[in-house]
Amino acid sequence: MCWAAVLLSFLLGQNPNEMDYLLRKIPDATFKTSDSSAMHISSWYSKKPVLLTLAYGRCPGVCNPYLLQIRDQISLLGSEKQFQVVVLSFDAEDQPKQLWRLAGFNENSPPPANWTFGVLEEDTRASLLTSLGLKTQMVGGLYEHNTVLALIGEDGSILQWIEGLPGTAQWDRLFKELTSEFVPVYSTLNNTVWTSCFQYDPASGTWRMSWGLLMILGPALITFFIIIILQSITRNDRTKNNSSILIQNQL
Amino acid sequence: MKTFDKKFTLLWLITILIVFLVAIAFGITMRMEQAEMVDVGPLNFYILMTSHGLLMAGVWFVAGMAGIQYILSRYFEVPRWGSVVAYACTLAGVVVLLISTFLTKFHAGWYFLYPLPFYAKGADSGPVLFLIAIAILGAGWLLWSLVLLVTILRKYTVTQALAWHHITGRPGPAVSPFILISFVSLIGVTACLLAAVVLVILYFIELARSGTMSNDPLLMKNLTFFFGHTLVNEMLYLGLAVLYELFPKMAGKPAYKTSWYVAISWNATLLIVLFAYFHHLYMDFAQPVAFQFIGQVMSWFAPLPAACVTIFSVLTTVYRSNMKWSLASLLYFFGVMFWAVGGVGAILDAVIANNLVLHNTQWVPAHFHTYNLLGNVFFSLAFASWFADEYGSEKMAPSMVKVIFSLLVIGGTGFVIAFYLGGALSVPRRVDMYSETVDEGISLAKMAVVFASLYLVGMIMYTVDFTKRCAGQLFS
Amino acid sequence: MIIQKEVFLVFSMMFIIIVTVFFLVFISSKKIGEFQNLNRKRAIFFFIAFGTVLLVLGVSLPKSPYFLYANDQPAQKVFVAAKQFSFSISKYPIATDDDFNMSAGAEITVPIDEIIEFNVSSLDVNHGFSLYKDGVLQAQVQAMPGYVNRLRWRFSESGTYDILCLEYCGVAHAAMAAKLKVE
Ligand code: HEM
Ligand SMILES: [Cu+2]
Ligand SMILES: [Cu+2]
């Protein structure tokens, strides 16, 4: 049982990257909004938590389904007023309104007040992308990129960092953080640590057994095998001595 | 009787008594520093603390092992080299330990909680020397415990030694409680010494690959207490095994038999002990709650089989026995009593909700000193007294018995009560001076110094008397 | 009554009971006789011991501090980092040495009767974070490097609380302390 659990958790091992981003501060980048005014990200996160993600308008791939899913999930949450969703484009050619489409909004059904779309300004774009771990590459006039969803706290630090489409458990975890639900511990181990006994799963805010646990089980298991081995190497002595055991009661 | 076994046991006992006196002197110096009666400074305080802790844990562990070795040798042919190698390793380990603490100023505490050895290291060679000391001690003891396991396994299969046939009622050789308890404890000892091996290896890997690899502090803490807690726990059971063998005879009663409930108890203990150490990590919220709960449940179930069975047996043995008390039987009987007292202190601390305000206060040294200083030490002293009565030139004079016993009991009790009061008054453990917040600690330390000195006097008298009666045997 | 006193009382009671029982048995050893009804008394003894253990476990486990105020909203988050031999306490996360130095020595004030969430970590070795009021330990949690432990606590008394390091962390461990104001 135990073994299976340990093995399983090893196979399911989560993405270790997250610890590189957690609690780091993001640069206070500026962006252009749809009414073409310039705005700082801090003007949102200083007021309430920000769910920040990056996309670009002409994206033929992931951006559209990604943002649609985010929109779906958020509508399930209900407590929308507690935070701001900020979608920023890293493509200088974008217009903020083009981005609406990605999340299924248009002129007839414009985004609600807790959604903000904008296009990053040149000067702070690169540093923001690095701080969020967003990697882009121009291929044939289009960007290849990963997707990142980050929860930014009121001081501009990354409280949650999810790469790719968040799973249900990750959404759970994110919403727990948004609504300040209690998780008694999280990990900030750096990557020189070669193994640990439990792996923190930021997605669900819970801890999974990890193969480092074998280090603790190890001594007990080795002892077990040693006893078995000792028993077999002493077999001959035992048959020889069987008759003399009775002396024990006489002594 | 085989003279080698006798002489070597004697050598062990005399060595143990001498090291014990030194370690007590370290302890009293620490208490004096806390009482502001001397001023050795924080560094020396922690050097003394590190040395005291490891010397004490080591010395009473080998005392238990020496007792087991001796009783086993009365029944079976026990290979001698196990004990001899262990003796050499113990001496070498103690010397290297004292060099690492007193010369290179290593002061990270006897269980060297990761990553403190890299910080509280004194000279750069401090942690290396200390880890080498641990490795020498660990290797020697591990070998010894394997030798003793082999000795038992030469007569019994594993299931016989675990007395399973006494539970199921199947036919098989009679297994005395002594064999059963020794076997169970030696298995535990092997497991925790292996944990020490893993721990030391992980340290050395990190030392060798400085900077590019580090260990998970939580994993290391688990290993540390698996080793430290289990070792200290099992060494008490080693002393108990000998008690089961000797005490009924002292009371003039028939030898204890392994009944079905004794067998079940010690099989349960074998498992329970391995999980109790979790209670050292209660205040680490990183440890999953399930483990914390297992820790509390196991800590509370641990005393049921081992302690309750023993206490009940000892009480019923003495009840209206018309026995003649000797120092040995007094120490056994009241050792069990103080073990029970210390056990109560321990399980109260093992309640997670209590631990929130007792963890790392003096409640901790309070309870473990109770069942070491007044429990485990009493068991081993009882064995030594029995040994001296049996083979020494003469029996201990009755007036001497009274004086020594009173000094040990009064001194020990007063000493630990100072710790219990400290725990109740939130005085932290392991500090060389008490800040204003917890300055009650100072007067308690003064009280402890007085009582510990009584204990020391008692121990000096004991040691002198023991050596006088037995030293002749060593050279005969 | 504070927990420490309760524990001490229970302990003293048990101490007296144990010593009395052993002493009575010790005195009885001068007489000759037999222990009557051994098996029955042993069964009763175990039954009581077993029952006590189950009772205590049932009552005490749910009171564990891991779930303290878990379902409430903390009014304030406080970040605590420990480093040989001082604490740094801030309203913002402390992840690096720079963060640490920035808020080292700063005294902060938290509101009374509100839930405060302490996020406790260490930048070097293991330390302990403890809250003392007038010399009485109220609560504690370990500060382990690589982990952030969260302790939720509600202060019911105003005044200055002493924060002591409760895990041995090196030579100046005894002097490692800080203060927290509750108003
Ligand atoms: C009269 C005899 C003794 C005296 C005066 C004494 C004194 C002390 C003192 C003052 C401390 C430090 C307490 C603190 O944390 O503030 C201590 C710790 C300790 N003692 Fe003793 N002790 C005695 C006997 C024993 C015995 C018999 C054992 C074990 C078998 C023992 C094992 C330990 C251990 C393991 C520590 C913990 C060290 C650490 O925290 O690293 N002591 N003792
Ligand atoms: Cu500290
Ligand atoms: Cu400290």
Side-chain angles (χ1 to χ4, degrees):
Chain A
M1 252 302 287
C2 239
W3 279 89
V6 169
L7 252 166
L8 202 68
S9 59
F10 179 44
L11 295 176
L12 295 176
Q14 38 116 180
N15 183 353
N17 280 341
E18 185 188 16
M19 295 310 160
D20 296 345
Y21 300 99
L22 273 193
L23 293 186
R24 303 283 148 87
K25 288 211 168 75
I26 58 164
D28 188 8
T30 45
F31 57 89
K32 245 186 10 256
T33 59
S34 47
D35 49 20
S36 55
S37 60
M39 199 171 191
H40 284 279
I41 312 184
S42 61
S43 57
W44 280 120
Y45 66 60
S46 58
K47 282 188 222 130
K48 49 184 175 178
V50 162
L51 212 47
L52 178 65
T53 186
L54 296 147
Y56 83 107
R58 296 175 295 135
C59 184
V62 71
C63 285
N64 184 293
Y66 183 67
L67 284 175
L68 282 176
Q69 205 218 1
I70 289 179
R71 188 178 159 187
D72 276 356
Q73 288 291 340
I74 288 175
S75 65
L76 288 179
L77 180 63
S79 50
E80 291 168 32
K81 299 246 153 49
Q82 289 183 14
F83 58 93
Q84 188 71 17
V85 186
V86 176
V87 183
L88 299 180
S89 163
F90 47 80
D91 182 359
E93 292 168 27
D94 263 342
Q95 291 303 316
K97 281 198 178 169
Q98 282 179 332
L99 298 169
W100 289 10
R101 182 187 61 80
L102 294 176
F105 298 115
N106 53 43
E107 293 289 352
N108 297 330
S109 63
N114 67 324
W115 281 74
T116 304
F117 291 90
V119 178
L120 281 169
E121 307 258 290
E122 195 73 46
D123 49 348
T124 43
R125 182 192 304 145
S127 59
L128 183 71
L129 295 198
T130 330
S131 75
L132 285 169
L134 194 95
K135 302 175 196 86
T136 62
Q137 198 185 6
M138 252 323 206
V139 180
L142 292 170
Y143 290 98
E144 291 254 315
H145 66 102
N146 59 345
T147 51
V148 167
L149 183 65
L151 178 66
I152 311 294
E154 56 175 340
D155 62 334
S157 62
I158 301 175
L159 299 182
Q160 287 285 304
W161 185 91
I162 299 164
E163 188 175 27
L165 274 173
T168 337
Q170 281 173 311
W171 279 115
D172 275 358
R173 165 75 179 119
L174 195 70
F175 293 151
K176 274 186 189 155
E177 189 71 48
L178 271 173
T179 52
S180 299
E181 201 176 308
F182 190 53
V183 179
V185 66
Y186 58 91
S187 160
T188 55
L189 286 177
N190 62 23
N191 41 23
T192 57
V193 170
W194 66 286
T195 178
S196 23
C197 23
F198 305 107
Q199 208 138 33
Y200 177 61
D201 177 15
S204 56
T206 56
W207 292 78
R208 270 203 230 114
M209 288 188 269
S210 167
W211 73 276
L213 205 60
L214 288 183
M215 304 299 264
I216 306 174
L217 292 178
L221 293 174
I222 298 172
T223 307
F224 179 78
F225 289 119
I226 287 180
I227 301 292
I228 300 301
I229 293 169
L230 291 185
Q231 151 140 311
S232 65
I233 59 176
T234 50
R235 183 181 300 133
N236 291 338
D237 296 302
R238 264 197 308 277
T239 42
K240 214 164 45 207
N241 290 325
N242 252 353
S243 50
S244 64
I245 276 177
L246 288 176
I247 57 157
Q248 180 219 325
N249 291 332
Q250 289 146 20
L251 264 162
Chain B
M1 191 89 290
K2 303 153 203 164
T3 46
F4 172 84
D5 295 309
K6 233 191 303 183
K7 281 191 183 173
F8 210 74
T9 307
L10 198 53
L11 184 63
W12 267 120
L13 290 175
I14 291 177
T15 316
I16 285 161
L17 288 173
I18 291 170
V19 178
F20 186 37
L21 291 181
V22 174
I24 294 180
F26 290 177
I28 293 180
T29 317
M30 281 192 279
R31 271 323 229 164
M32 287 171 80
E33 168 81 1
Q34 291 172 333
E36 301 180 351
M37 294 157 80
V38 296
D39 184 13
V40 299
L43 180 59
N44 286 323
F45 176 88
Y46 289 119
I47 286 173
L48 288 171
M49 187 185 87
T50 307
S51 315
H52 170 86
L54 193 56
L55 283 183
M56 286 293 194
V59 124
W60 296 108
F61 168 73
V62 292
M65 292 289 280
I68 299 278
Q69 161 103 19
Y70 184 72
I71 303 288
L72 269 181
S73 78
R74 300 212 303 163
Y75 291 156
F76 314 131
E77 200 61 49
V78 187
R80 291 166 180 181
W81 56 273
S83 180
V84 174
V85 169
Y87 188 82
C89 285
T90 304
L91 282 195
V94 166
V95 170
V96 180
L97 161 75
L98 293 179
I99 292 177
S100 84
T101 53
F102 284 97
L103 288 185
T104 60
K105 310 281 181 202
F106 180 82
H107 58 283
W110 81 274
Y111 54 73
F112 53 105
L113 186 58
Y114 179 87
L116 193 55
F118 299 126
Y119 292 79
K121 59 182 178 179
D124 279 342
S125 52
V128 181
L129 281 171
F130 182 82
L131 291 172
I132 289 176
I134 297 280
I136 297 174
L137 295 173
W141 298 346
L142 190 56
L143 201 83
W144 195 8
S145 99
L146 292 181
V147 167
L148 295 185
L149 280 170
V150 167
T151 309
I152 295 177
L153 287 173
R154 276 197 183 145
K155 307 287 161 179
Y156 308 101
T157 61
V158 173
T159 48
Q160 284 168 350
L162 289 175
W164 285 5
H165 56 290
H166 285 279
I167 304 175
T168 58
R170 292 223 181 84
V175 173
S176 66
F178 166 73
I179 298 287
L180 168 64
I181 301 173
S182 304
F183 192 69
V184 165
S185 315
L186 289 169
I187 293 177
V189 165
T190 308
C192 70
L193 289 177
L194 282 171
V197 171
V198 175
L199 194 60
V200 170
I201 291 177
L202 290 178
Y203 265 107
F204 274 120
I205 295 178
E206 181 163 344
L207 270 171
R209 306 189 41 194
S210 63
T212 57
M213 174 273 198
S214 59
N215 285 293
D216 171 14
L218 185 63
L219 171 63
M220 295 297 265
K221 192 164 181 179
N222 271 287
L223 278 172
T224 297
F225 285 107
F226 183 52
F227 149 67
H229 173 86
T230 314
L231 180 78
V232 177
N233 196 329
E234 298 286 0
M235 77 190 194
L236 201 128
Y237 294 158
L238 294 175
L240 267 188
V242 180
L243 179 151
Y244 269 78
E245 183 70 18
L246 299 180
F247 191 68
K249 282 168 203 162
M250 292 177 187
K253 294 268 176 99
Y256 289 151
K257 291 258 161 45
T258 304
S259 53
W260 61 270
Y261 60 87
V262 170
I264 289 184
S265 295
W266 285 95
N267 278 279
T269 303
L270 174 64
L271 280 182
I272 290 175
V273 169
L274 298 182
F275 295 99
Y277 86 85
F278 285 141
H279 60 221
H280 284 268
L281 286 98
Y282 283 162
M283 290 302 115
D284 283 289
F285 293 5
Q287 187 92 332
V289 175
F291 283 43
Q292 312 284 27
F293 281 13
I294 292 174
Q296 180 173 339
V297 172
M298 290 303 183
S299 304
W300 272 76
F301 275 114
L304 276 184
C308 287
V309 169
T310 309
I311 291 168
F312 198 83
S313 307
V314 166
L315 284 177
T316 49
T317 305
V318 169
Y319 184 75
R320 299 200 168 173
S321 60
N322 193 27
M323 66 190 281
K324 273 192 66 182
W325 290 92
S326 62
L327 185 57
S329 51
L330 281 173
L331 286 171
Y332 267 145
F333 184 69
F334 288 98
V336 170
M337 178 183 92
F338 283 115
W339 175 36
V341 172
V344 171
I347 55 176
L348 285 173
D349 190 19
V351 172
I352 303 175
N354 294 344
N355 196 257
L356 185 70
V357 292
L358 291 178
H359 185 65
N360 279 344
T361 66
Q362 287 193 338
W363 195 270
V364 180
H367 81 258
F368 75 68
H369 277 98
T370 311
Y371 53 64
N372 281 314
L373 190 62
L374 295 163
N376 193 22
V377 171
F378 275 20
F379 297 160
S380 287
L381 290 183
F383 169 72
S385 305
W386 169 84
F387 188 88
D389 284 348
E390 204 92 328
Y391 306 114
S393 49
E394 57 197 294
K395 294 241 186 306
M396 189 184 266
S399 57
M400 195 70 167
V401 171
K402 276 193 194 128
V403 174
I404 292 184
F405 184 69
S406 316
L407 280 173
L408 294 184
V409 168
I410 295 170
T413 312
F415 172 73
V416 295
I417 285 180
F419 272 146
Y420 283 112
L421 287 170
L425 293 170
S426 309
V427 179
R429 72 183 283 209
R430 300 180 120 191
V431 294
D432 60 303
M433 51 150 196
Y434 298 109
S435 62
E436 254 167 63
T437 320
V438 288
D439 52 8
E440 309 93 323
I442 301 173
S443 21
L444 290 174
K446 287 188 182 131
M447 160 182 171
V449 169
V450 174
F451 281 103
S453 307
L454 292 181
Y455 191 97
L456 179 62
V457 172
M459 267 321 295
I460 292 175
M461 289 171 68
Y462 182 97
T463 308
V464 170
D465 178 84
F466 181 87
T467 322
K468 258 205 325 239
R469 288 194 289 152
C470 296
Q473 290 279 319
L474 202 53
F475 306 105
S476 63
Chain C
M1 192 158 48
I2 61 172
I3 300 177
Q4 287 97 318
K5 293 268 153 63
E6 274 173 42
V7 169
F8 190 77
L9 260 173
V10 173
F11 173 76
S12 310
M13 254 165 47
M14 291 301 294
F15 187 110
I16 292 169
I17 292 174
I18 293 172
V19 171
T20 311
V21 169
F22 271 77
F23 216 76
L24 290 178
V25 171
F26 179 67
I27 291 174
S28 84
S29 76
K30 303 219 164 35
K31 302 196 192 116
I32 310 180
E34 271 297 312
F35 197 76
Q36 304 295 320
N37 291 330
L38 183 72
N39 284 332
R40 218 180 104 224
K41 284 182 184 151
R42 181 166 43 224
I44 294 172
F45 180 71
F46 271 91
F47 196 72
I48 293 174
F50 200 81
T52 315
V53 167
L54 287 185
L55 189 77
V56 171
L57 288 177
V59 172
S60 67
L61 277 176
K63 292 193 187 155
S64 303
Y66 315 115
F67 322 115
L68 223 54
Y69 308 116
N71 299 323
D72 301 293
Q73 279 275 359
Q76 191 174 343
K77 282 193 180 210
V78 175
F79 294 83
V80 180
K83 200 169 94 174
Q84 282 184 334
F85 293 97
S86 57
F87 289 102
S88 182
I89 305 175
S90 161
K91 297 190 173 166
Y92 300 107
I94 304 166
T96 63
D97 283 352
D98 286 339
D99 301 342
F100 186 92
N101 294 335
M102 217 150 70
S103 36
E107 250 190 48
I108 80 165
T109 307
V110 295
I112 187 174
D113 283 332
E114 300 264 22
I115 296 165
I116 313 296
E117 182 183 286
F118 293 96
N119 289 244
V120 182
S121 188
S122 163
L123 299 184
D124 46 23
V125 299
N126 287 290
H127 300 268
F129 171 79
S130 65
L131 294 160
Y132 276 79
K133 179 76 173 79
D134 302 326
V136 178
L137 179 55
Q138 312 278 331
Q140 65 173 310
V141 66
Q142 292 289 111
M144 183 180 262
Y147 294 88
V148 179
N149 291 328
R150 286 179 170 153
L151 172 71
R152 290 190 171 179
W153 197 249
R154 175 182 261 142
F155 295 97
S156 52
E157 241 183 294
S158 66
T160 305
Y161 282 69
D162 293 289
I163 296 169
L164 300 190
C165 178
L166 270 199
E167 182 68 54
Y168 172 52
C169 57
V171 253
H173 162 60
M176 183 163 163
K179 290 199 188 305
L180 181 77
K181 267 217 195 85
V182 176
E183 271 170 6

